[in-house]
Amino acid sequence: MKTFELPPLPYALNALEPFISEKTLSFHYGKHHKAYVDNLNKLKEGTEFEDASLEVIMLNAGGGLFNNAAQVWNHTFYWNCMKPAAEVNNEPATELLEAIVKKWGSFEKFKEAFSVAAAGNFGSGWTWLVTNEKDELEIVSTSNADNPLRNDKEPLLVIDVWEHAYYLDRQNARPNYIADFWNIVDWEAVSARY
Ligand SMILES: [Fe+2]
């Protein structure tokens, strides 16, 4: 049987400070993300998905198997949307930037709209920048483990708005966590997906 491993974090646990603390990353990556990987391995045992890829499970399974597979995928994607603040470009590459300006009027207005969506995403979930079926940019909020690939939308950027992503640093102040997030978005990686 295939066994999934916790993918390595693309930077050190303290690399996103002061915006995301080492303590948050050590719990979020080392406990939450790891638990999703462990649960996924347990739950797929003896099912038709025993040897399936993560994407196949995420797109086709239901219940706990889907939840854990999608959470593994979502967290890996989230880690790869961020980078230490000292290394990030402050804006997307030309092609993506032009598409953002076309859709929202300016890069600042896009960030505002995304922040409002993320702050208003009720309960636990994820807020995404995606390209939709018509290849247009769209901001999408999903609940719990859900992922836009299930609706034929291609993720470019995501923020985790589950409380475990920010409670140790910001307690209930999700908007502060979202404001911090903009300092560590890896626009180079996001642009490369467009
Ligand atoms: Fe999370």
Side-chain angles (χ1 to χ4, degrees):
M1 189 184 84
K2 184 186 178 116
T3 303
F4 291 108
E5 307 276 347
L6 179 65
L9 197 64
Y11 30 72
L13 288 171
N14 64 358
L16 303 182
E17 291 194 340
F19 302 107
I20 295 178
S21 70
E22 178 170 2
K23 193 174 178 187
T24 290
L25 269 197
S26 63
F27 277 90
H28 197 177
Y29 170 72
K31 305 284 184 200
H32 291 277
H33 193 177
K34 183 176 186 305
Y36 294 126
V37 173
D38 293 344
N39 288 334
L40 170 62
N41 283 324
K42 269 185 234 145
L43 287 169
K44 74 188 180 75
E45 220 178 297
T47 74
E48 61 181 300
F49 296 106
E50 216 167 48
D51 294 307
S53 70
L54 185 62
E55 285 75 17
V56 165
I57 300 175
M58 182 173 83
L59 293 174
N60 299 289
L65 196 46
F66 161 71
N67 284 333
N68 285 282
Q71 285 294 80
V72 170
W73 196 101
N74 295 351
H75 281 92
T76 305
F77 189 79
Y78 170 61
W79 308 134
N80 285 290
C81 285
M82 300 181 290
K83 209 162 134 172
E87 296 171 23
V88 300
N89 292 328
N90 291 326
E91 53 180 45
T94 315
E95 205 186 339
L96 177 58
L97 184 60
E98 281 173 4
I100 286 174
V101 171
K102 190 175 162 214
K103 173 93 185 189
W104 286 281
S106 71
F107 182 49
E108 281 312 308
K109 283 195 180 129
F110 155 72
K111 288 203 282 184
E112 257 172 58
F114 188 95
S115 299
V116 166
N121 189 347
F122 186 75
S124 296
W126 302 81
T127 294
W128 312 75
L129 173 66
V130 302
T131 46
N132 65 19
E133 312 82 318
K134 293 181 214 149
D135 264 340
E136 292 165 354
L137 294 175
E138 201 181 312
I139 295 167
V140 170
S141 281
T142 56
S143 290
N144 302 314
D146 206 6
N147 179 300
L149 281 167
R150 303 253 292 188
N151 293 308
D152 296 322
K153 296 175 202 281
E154 201 67 43
L156 304 176
L157 168 70
V158 76
I159 184 168
D160 185 346
V161 296
W162 284 57
E163 279 189 348
H164 68 218
Y166 58 89
Y167 211 86
L168 289 172
D169 291 338
R170 292 302 204 166
Q171 292 74 53
N172 58 325
R174 187 191 288 182
N176 294 349
Y177 156 69
I178 298 165
D180 285 344
F181 176 71
W182 296 119
N183 295 291
I184 46 176
V185 171
D186 183 358
W187 284 111
E188 212 178 329
V190 176
S191 303
R193 294 177 189 129
Y194 182 61

